[in-house]
Amino acid sequence: MAIIEQKTIPLNGDEAVAYAVKQSDVDVVAAYPITPQTIIVERFSEYVANGEVDTEFVCVESEHSALAASLTASLTGARAFTATASAGLALMHEMVYVTAGCRAPVVMAVTNRALSAPINIHCDHSDVMAERDSGWIQLWAENAQEVYDSIIQAFRIAEHPDLMTPVMVNLDGFFLSHTLENVQVLPDNVVRKFVGIRQYPLVSDTQGKKVPFKLDPDFPLTMGPLDLPDYYFEHKRQQEEAMHIAPKIIKQVHDEYAKLSGRSYGNGFVDAYNVDDAEIVTVCLGSTAGTTKTVVDQLRSKGIKAGVLRVRTLRPLPVEDIMRALENKKAVAVLDRSNSVGGQGGPFFHEIRHVLYGAQSHPPIVDYVYGLGGRDMPPALIQNIYKDLEEIAKTGKVKNLVQFAGVRE
Amino acid sequence: MITIKELTEKPELFTAGHRACAGCGPAIALRQIMKALRGPTIVTEATGCMEVVSTIYPYTAWNVPWVHTAFETAAANASGIEAALKVLKRKKRITHEHVDVIALAGDGGTYDIGIQALSGAAERGHDFLYVLYDNEGYMNTGIQRSGGTPLGASTTTSPAGTVIPGKTQHKKPIADIMVAHDIPYVATASIGYWQDLMAKVRKGLEVEGPAFLHVMAPCPRGWRSDTAKTMEISRLAVETCVFPLWEAVNGEYGLSPISKAIALKPDRKKPVEVYLKMQRRFAHLFQPKFQHIIKEIQDDTDKRWNRLLKKCNIPQVAVSKT
Ligand SMILES: Cc1ncc(C[n+]2csc(CCOP(=O)(O)OP(=O)(O)O)c2C)c(N)n1
Ligand code: SF4
């Protein structure tokens, strides 16, 4: 298949979300504004107001209702989308779990922002880290282009009848949401064909008859019932099983999309930049990868064998990919844009360090909590981290397991 | 008006076999509501007794598509369902000409934790019927007070003690709050007057836009009442004007027949005492030191009743017998 001709338009990350949603034949959008996600809701409202989409836009009174309405719209058979950030995601928390547990393939953009207090509207990942264990697939974008591409892919992934698992697409607040980039967009009809019309898996009704999984008066199903100790555990286990087949579907969708658009993101799960022959490697999420790649280029030009591993799917966690990429390194640093207060390092550190426990060899691994509340992560700071890694690689000794990078001491 | 015979011929969409207690008012309400449907319907329900007793996996008492998501979400759920039906019909991805949407919730899910979602959905004008089944407390979690628990009632979080006589606040006027949202249809109903209740369900479904039905439904467990007296207590609530029956169509209040009869013949209005006496949640009020609360309940009932009469343009001022 030939790569489709595409136009390039200037979009910031939020606009890239709205544009992708516009093209994806979404039936219901229920959302509530919060900085730095607001542009998504505003742009989409304009599309609705101008008749550019055939979507029911439910401008709800809270994020809790935003996700509740997206969830039930999805269970009624609609393709549903919502978006939020920070306090909004925290307010949704209850429904984040309910949505995954109901196996509703909702797609949600999360424009990552710090949690209060103190109140702060800027980027960090503490909002979404609180939802790590909720049962959603998590895609993380490095730039506005990837935001656009990932949103389109997310519908295909979430709604796959074997999966039926909601997907969130994370984009760094302001760094991505408000920064204008040149984004290549596919023609409307191509996206529409790619996402297709929602299909429904067949499930057994109370009489054992196979019926489509949706709220339909022709096939009455009871959804979201009371599940006691005799069944709840099995149902939660089924969510885990879905996560085991998710990689196959994520890969399929990523590769099919790559053929169409000419764009791919690593192997779909991790994006390894100069990692193969590297001795020292940082691991990160989101837009920080862009700066880090520049620093890696500088170090390489000086003959330092540095690399950066960007994780694209935090859930399901690509355990094998991360392990293979890191196990033979001399030193590894995790860049954590959130902290697990009192937990010895940030949540991302816990993820990566846990993966390495199963590796053949265990490189020394350290954590740098950085960028909380939108604090900048300039190249100089990243250079210092690589300098620390060189030292660790040389001595094999870790002086500080967890450090705060860029904070006033 | 529908007859008993016709009623028996209607399909049971809320079926037997659920686990509600004997004499459960809300379960009776659901059965009556589900016999008043006019066509294809999707039901969504808040967490609470009725959700719990009717859907213990792998069993279900529901013969219509039904969904529960959380405690405070009944109205938000209905918004999502209604929005989905609208767009799927427009895109010709469903074949039904029309599907009704009903949201069910208890007093906790309505007066308290769910009022934000309810107010939002009403303001947005979704086409759905919201039914509040009011058993005046959080029964599912063991009889705690809610914004719908009446003055003087003893609950596990407003227990009648030696110095505090049960709940010290009045019931929130939830139906009036919904009328103030300027929605096309609001009504009160009682399971003791099932024909009136079913007619109101039908009207609520027929109007375009949000409709709100406030159904009084005694809970023998929480009210500490005789399980055989549920219907009698329901009727007494109306006959004492503790819970008058009315409807507001496009904001215009009107009394329903049974309450209108009382308005026209005020001596038919029974004293609240007869109603309170049948429920042991009020038993402490009959001790001498708390008896002034009974008077307070009577005065409040009269005040609200007179206010309602004014809204209904009925000039008579009812005289209480006590
Ligand atoms: C967010 C949240 N808070 C609290 C609860 C616990 N809870 C479940 S049902 C319920 C009370 C339900 O009361 P009501 O709505 O009056 O219905 P009833 O049980 O009386 O029928 C409570 C407090 C919950 N499930 N979710
Ligand atoms: S506790 Fe009350 S409301 Fe709940 S099932 Fe029993 S009687 Fe019905």
Side-chain angles (χ1 to χ4, degrees):
Chain A
M1 202 184 345
I3 291 169
I4 305 259
E5 201 176 315
Q6 298 163 63
K7 54 176 186 184
T8 302
I9 55 174
L11 294 174
N12 63 36
D14 275 357
E15 289 169 337
V17 171
Y19 199 91
V21 173
K22 171 175 101 154
Q23 292 184 306
S24 298
D25 189 22
V26 174
D27 299 313
V28 175
V29 172
Y32 191 85
I34 179 169
T35 306
Q37 156 268 29
T38 315
I39 303 169
I40 301 174
V41 188
E42 290 172 344
R43 284 299 163 275
F44 201 80
S45 305
E46 285 167 22
Y47 296 145
V48 175
N50 296 330
E52 292 179 63
V53 286
D54 190 1
T55 303
E56 278 299 309
F57 175 52
V58 189
C59 200
V60 282
E61 81 299 329
S62 76
E63 287 87 353
H64 198 282
S65 290
L67 191 49
S70 303
L71 159 61
T72 52
S74 178
L75 293 176
T76 309
R79 174 168 295 149
F81 173 83
T82 187
T84 191
S86 182
L89 186 59
L91 189 60
M92 277 182 184
H93 178 71
E94 179 188 24
M95 304 315 294
V96 172
Y97 275 70
V98 177
T99 302
C102 285
R103 307 299 290 272
V106 173
V107 171
M108 167 156 70
V110 180
T111 306
N112 302 113
R113 161 182 158 183
L115 286 175
S116 297
I119 190 165
N120 172 299
I121 58 167
H122 294 276
C123 177
D124 74 35
H125 300 157
S126 43
D127 55 359
V128 74
M129 285 303 168
E131 310 303 334
R132 249 185 335 165
D133 305 331
S134 61
W136 286 58
I137 289 170
Q138 283 197 18
L139 303 181
W140 288 71
E142 180 179 334
N143 48 45
Q145 181 69 63
E146 188 176 359
V147 169
Y148 169 81
D149 295 333
S150 299
I151 291 281
I152 294 168
Q153 292 174 24
F155 289 108
R156 277 280 299 274
I157 296 166
E159 293 170 9
H160 193 291
D162 295 342
L163 202 49
M164 296 295 285
T165 297
V167 177
M168 49 176 94
V169 176
N170 290 280
L171 60 148
D172 283 341
F174 290 102
F175 298 114
L176 295 186
S177 63
H178 286 60
T179 307
L180 213 56
E181 288 178 37
N182 281 326
V183 175
Q184 285 200 304
V185 296
L186 292 160
D188 292 352
N189 62 334
V190 172
V191 177
R192 226 183 152 84
K193 187 154 169 255
F194 183 82
V195 293
I197 291 174
R198 239 196 97 177
Q199 304 297 309
Y200 311 104
L202 295 178
V203 294
S204 298
D205 70 4
T206 48
Q207 313 303 314
K209 200 171 76 194
K210 293 285 179 203
V211 300
F213 181 67
K214 62 184 173 114
L215 294 167
D216 184 335
D218 290 342
F219 317 102
L221 290 176
T222 291
M223 296 191 187
L226 175 67
D227 214 12
L228 294 173
D230 51 353
Y231 283 101
Y232 179 89
F233 203 179
E234 280 73 21
H235 290 138
K236 294 319 274 185
R237 161 72 174 269
Q238 284 175 352
Q239 285 181 250
E240 187 62 40
E241 282 162 6
M243 278 292 177
H244 288 297
I245 58 164
K248 197 180 106 207
I249 292 156
I250 294 169
K251 177 101 191 120
Q252 223 171 26
V253 172
H254 172 265
D255 293 355
E256 192 184 318
Y257 189 87
K259 276 199 199 124
L260 209 64
S261 66
R263 288 184 296 278
S264 56
Y265 299 98
N267 64 355
F269 307 100
V270 295
D271 169 16
Y273 189 75
N274 282 335
V275 168
D276 275 356
D277 68 336
E279 292 174 350
I280 51 175
V281 176
T282 60
V283 191
C284 69
L285 291 162
S287 65
T288 303
T291 324
T292 311
K293 285 172 183 175
T294 310
V295 172
V296 164
D297 287 345
Q298 291 163 359
L299 295 172
R300 286 274 168 174
S301 71
K302 291 184 204 153
I304 298 165
K305 290 195 162 174
V308 52
L309 184 74
R310 177 174 74 88
V311 175
R312 179 173 185 252
T313 58
L314 188 65
R315 285 290 180 276
L317 188 69
V319 171
E320 281 296 314
D321 291 322
I322 296 170
M323 196 152 69
R324 294 287 93 83
L326 301 180
E327 63 187 353
N328 297 315
K329 303 308 168 198
K330 290 194 174 154
V332 174
V334 174
L335 310 185
D336 238 314
R337 200 162 210 141
S338 58
N339 188 27
S340 167
V341 182
Q344 203 179 49
F348 191 44
F349 179 54
H350 300 161
E351 298 274 328
I352 303 301
R353 203 174 183 221
H354 128 73
V355 167
L356 283 181
Y357 194 82
Q360 297 283 331
S361 61
H362 302 106
I365 179 165
V366 290
D367 190 30
Y368 291 86
V369 175
Y370 76 98
L372 300 191
R375 179 66 53 86
D376 200 15
M377 180 71 148
L381 218 54
I382 300 171
Q383 282 157 5
N384 285 345
I385 290 169
Y386 278 106
K387 226 175 255 158
D388 289 354
L389 285 183
E390 281 185 82
E391 182 64 22
I392 294 170
K394 215 185 296 163
T395 61
K397 286 210 174 66
V398 170
K399 266 194 249 148
N400 298 301
L401 188 68
V402 181
Q403 295 187 70
F404 285 75
V407 75
R408 275 185 214 93
E409 293 296 348
Chain B
M1 219 176 247
I2 191 162
T3 64
I4 286 268
K5 183 165 181 299
E6 285 161 359
L7 208 58
T8 58
E9 286 155 9
K10 291 201 166 259
E12 296 284 358
L13 298 174
F14 178 71
T15 65
H18 58 71
R19 323 281 178 93
C21 313
C24 172
I28 297 168
L30 295 199
R31 190 159 176 226
Q32 294 176 356
I33 293 161
M34 296 310 288
K35 281 189 177 273
L37 303 191
R38 59 168 180 171
T41 305
I42 296 176
V43 175
T44 182
E45 185 157 14
T47 313
C49 260
M50 288 304 99
E51 166 258 337
V52 162
V53 302
S54 65
T55 69
I56 303 178
Y57 186 88
Y59 303 102
T60 178
W62 296 93
N63 263 333
V64 292
W66 179 99
V67 63
H68 156 262
T69 70
F71 185 20
E72 62 278 56
T73 46
N77 292 347
S79 310
I81 295 166
E82 188 251 13
L85 290 168
K86 236 179 174 162
V87 61
L88 292 175
K89 188 180 159 215
R90 205 159 63 217
K91 293 184 180 178
K92 299 197 169 40
R93 290 179 191 161
I94 51 173
T95 49
H96 296 103
E97 196 39 50
H98 183 80
V99 179
D100 284 322
V101 180
I102 297 181
L104 296 170
D107 45 293
T110 305
Y111 288 83
D112 297 345
I113 202 165
I115 197 168
Q116 173 180 323
L118 171 60
S119 178
E123 183 264 336
R124 292 190 299 273
H126 296 280
D127 185 15
F128 74 117
L129 169 64
Y130 189 104
V131 181
L132 152 63
Y133 70 84
D134 191 357
N135 56 17
E136 302 194 321
Y138 300 168
M139 299 316 180
N140 180 47
T141 40
I143 318 168
Q144 291 89 28
R145 90 189 269 292
S146 79
T149 303
L151 179 72
S154 180
T155 72
T156 55
T157 52
S158 63
T162 52
V163 291
I164 299 178
K167 195 185 170 198
T168 53
Q169 301 84 9
H170 288 283
K171 206 172 159 72
K172 213 193 268 188
I174 190 75
D176 292 321
I177 292 170
M178 294 317 294
V179 176
H181 280 72
D182 218 353
I183 57 177
Y185 188 75
V186 176
T188 65
S190 159
I191 55 169
Y193 298 97
W194 55 270
Q195 282 172 314
D196 178 71
L197 184 149
M198 291 176 67
K200 285 169 174 169
V201 168
R202 206 31 107 72
K203 278 193 200 168
L205 291 171
E206 278 164 4
V207 294
E208 299 234 346
F212 182 83
L213 185 60
H214 181 180
V215 177
M216 170 65 104
C219 158
R221 282 287 299 117
W223 296 17
R224 310 277 188 228
S225 56
D226 186 337
T227 55
K229 296 274 162 70
T230 298
M231 294 310 242
E232 197 179 324
I233 294 171
S234 301
R235 284 193 287 264
L236 271 178
V238 178
E239 289 161 6
T240 53
C241 299
V242 163
F243 193 79
L245 301 186
W246 53 268
E247 55 186 3
V249 181
N250 295 318
E252 295 295 326
Y253 280 80
L255 286 181
S256 304
I258 179 71
S259 287
K260 194 158 188 187
I262 295 170
L264 298 178
K265 286 208 164 77
D267 1 323
R268 283 199 193 174
K269 180 165 170 278
K270 295 184 176 164
V272 295
E273 222 174 291
V274 295
Y275 171 69
L276 302 178
K277 248 193 192 132
M278 295 184 74
Q279 308 166 46
R280 278 187 293 118
R281 63 175 171 157
F282 295 117
H284 56 285
L285 299 185
F286 292 88
Q287 301 168 31
K289 67 171 171 181
F290 290 146
Q291 265 188 2
H292 63 283
I293 305 289
I294 297 182
K295 173 152 190 329
E296 211 179 302
I297 295 171
Q298 184 66 61
D299 289 349
D300 183 63
T301 303
D302 294 346
K303 184 183 81 187
R304 291 184 194 225
W305 171 242
N306 286 331
R307 213 187 266 159
L308 177 65
L309 293 179
K310 254 191 219 149
K311 286 189 215 163
C312 297
N313 282 325
I314 295 179
Q316 287 92 338
V317 175
V319 189
S320 162
K321 282 186 190 165
T322 48

